[in-house]
Amino acid sequence: MNHSLAHCGARLRLWSEAYHPVHLYASLLVCVFGSVANSLNIAVLTRREMSSPTNAILTGLAVADLLVMLEYIPFTAQAFLPQEQRLSYGWALFVLFHSHFAQVCHTVAIWLTVILAVWRYLAVVHPQRSREWCGARTTAAAIAAAYLASPLLCVPLYLAFDVSARGLGRATQYRVGLSALAERRVLGELSLRQLNFWVYSVAIKIIPCAALTVLSLRLVCALLETKKRRLQLAGGRNKQLAGKERQTDRTTRMLLAVLLLFLITEFPQGILGLLSVFLGEAFFSSCYVPLGELMDILALVNSAVNFILYCSMSRQFRATFSQVFRPRLLRRPAVPPPSGATNTQVTQV
């Protein structure tokens, strides 16, 4: 029996080979769109009128997603290069850099999403205290921590893979593969290769997904409680409070959509990585590798669609986007607010 086909069979391998040419063009389209979309996100979210802790986190998320998109475009271009160039030492080094850089940026995005969920939960459940707990300095420190800790979390990945050379006649081919350290025991009976899968599947995927699941459920419960409380409100003052709560609800729903997209794309990857630890090389070769490009395109789509979510679910984002990018001749003259109205907002997204 062929052990490389022991778990998922030959059909998945055949499907992977058929999907490969589709993936090349699909990923290029998604990356080009995502690069433009995340650039627009950054341009809008960094406006002074959009200044808030939540939008600072969304800006950090957009930067990480933009880096993933920009770097993935030349990686995809390898399919259109001559075979000799794709097997050169320089290109192998770039592929190695790609695997490290993309994983680090994606890890940053994952943990920023967790921070976003925590900040949103505190804003909904503890609106008064959250202004102190989630202020500008705390938010900046949390974003910096995500960007600084993620490269450290990926250290096992750096050590587990390297460029290897293989002589073929007079020519030498270079490919990215397991390093000489990959099978060395680092923690008891745990090899570096296994440690890398544990870090990838548990610390980078499953733990953040579990945290997002719990926080998302708590946010949904908080939304239902807020809706019930709003129905009990009456009087002019309470109507004003209800309007602020409706704004908070819209923001929370939009961020819940962002969180759910992350769960849909990240949780299956964590499960597959964990199964690769327990079931070994046979599962990794027959299941994980054939699904690699599918997981890539899902992650890319997830990194590209936030702009669509913001435009469809955030009135303030649409208004600011229109103000920044609409030609001056098409802009409507500003209408002064009615007397007694204020511009204070509970949240800004």
Side-chain angles (χ1 to χ4, degrees):
M1 182 179 179
N2 190 343
H3 289 287
S4 65
L5 304 177
H7 294 281
C8 294
R11 289 186 178 181
L12 182 60
R13 178 75 63 178
L14 293 174
W15 176 88
S16 175
E17 293 173 356
Y19 170 71
H20 176 68
V22 177
H23 176 78
L24 297 177
Y25 295 99
S27 58
L28 278 175
L29 288 174
V30 171
C31 286
V32 171
F33 170 79
S35 298
V36 175
N38 281 295
S39 298
L40 295 176
N41 287 341
I42 295 169
V44 173
L45 293 171
T46 52
R47 298 283 294 183
R48 180 177 299 178
E49 61 269 27
M50 296 289 285
S51 177
S52 73
T54 295
N55 287 348
I57 299 171
L58 291 177
T59 303
L61 181 61
V63 170
D65 287 339
L66 176 61
L67 292 175
V68 170
M69 296 285 164
L70 293 176
E71 193 277 331
Y72 202 90
I73 292 174
F75 171 74
T76 307
Q78 67 173 312
F80 305 101
L81 297 175
Q83 186 176 10
E84 310 83 59
Q85 191 170 346
R86 282 186 280 131
L87 297 175
S88 66
Y89 180 70
W91 189 257
L93 280 180
F94 175 77
V95 172
L96 183 64
F97 165 79
H98 159 77
S99 64
H100 298 339
F101 183 81
Q103 186 58 65
V104 168
C105 292
H106 202 58
T107 302
V108 171
I110 290 171
W111 283 106
L112 284 178
T113 307
V114 175
I115 294 171
L116 180 65
V118 173
W119 259 233
R120 193 69 216 150
Y121 175 76
L122 293 175
V124 172
V125 179
H126 304 287
Q128 300 301 324
R129 294 184 178 181
S130 68
R131 297 177 183 178
E132 177 183 354
W133 295 343
C134 307
R137 289 186 178 181
T138 307
T139 302
I143 296 171
Y147 272 90
L148 294 175
S150 294
L152 298 178
L153 195 59
C154 295
V155 166
L157 174 67
Y158 313 149
L159 301 177
F161 293 92
D162 200 356
V163 174
S164 59
R166 185 181 67 172
L168 189 64
R170 295 182 178 180
T172 302
Q173 297 180 350
Y174 297 91
R175 295 181 182 274
V176 175
L178 293 175
S179 67
L181 299 174
E183 298 302 330
R184 182 172 296 181
R185 306 298 176 185
V186 291
L187 289 175
E189 295 299 317
L190 196 67
S191 68
L192 178 61
R193 178 178 62 83
Q194 293 171 320
L195 176 63
N196 178 57
F197 271 112
W198 274 105
V199 172
Y200 170 80
S201 59
V202 177
I204 296 179
K205 301 293 183 181
I206 293 179
I207 291 178
C209 285
L212 288 178
T213 301
V214 173
L215 288 167
S216 298
L217 292 174
R218 297 295 296 270
L219 278 172
V220 170
C221 293
L223 276 178
L224 295 176
E225 182 64 27
T226 300
K227 184 177 181 179
K228 184 186 300 184
R229 184 172 65 250
R230 186 186 305 128
L231 293 175
Q232 299 173 352
L233 294 177
R237 182 180 178 183
N238 287 337
K239 286 181 180 180
Q240 184 179 5
L241 179 60
K244 291 182 179 181
E245 289 186 344
R246 279 193 294 271
Q247 168 67 20
T248 302
D249 286 358
R250 284 194 297 268
T251 302
T252 302
R253 291 192 188 100
M254 185 194 72
L255 298 182
L256 275 173
V258 174
L259 304 184
L260 290 176
L261 275 175
F262 257 88
L263 285 175
I264 293 171
T265 57
E266 302 301 328
F267 192 66
Q269 296 181 40
I271 295 298
L272 287 173
L274 197 59
L275 289 175
S276 297
V277 174
F278 290 114
L279 300 180
E281 183 64 28
F283 180 87
F284 177 77
S285 300
S286 65
C287 301
Y288 190 95
V289 172
L291 291 172
E293 289 186 333
L294 177 61
M295 291 188 290
D296 277 358
I297 194 65
L298 289 176
L300 291 173
V301 169
N302 177 50
S303 298
V305 299
N306 283 345
F307 175 77
I308 298 175
L309 289 177
Y310 301 160
C311 286
S312 61
M313 303 182 72
S314 173
R315 182 185 304 171
Q316 187 184 14
F317 186 91
R318 291 194 301 270
T320 306
F321 177 82
S322 176
Q323 180 183 357
V324 174
F325 293 103
R326 182 187 292 180
R328 289 186 177 182
L329 294 177
L330 298 179
R331 294 180 185 174
R332 297 178 180 177
V335 178
S339 59
T342 66
N343 292 326
T344 304
Q345 294 186 348
V346 178
T347 56
Q348 290 183 305
V349 173

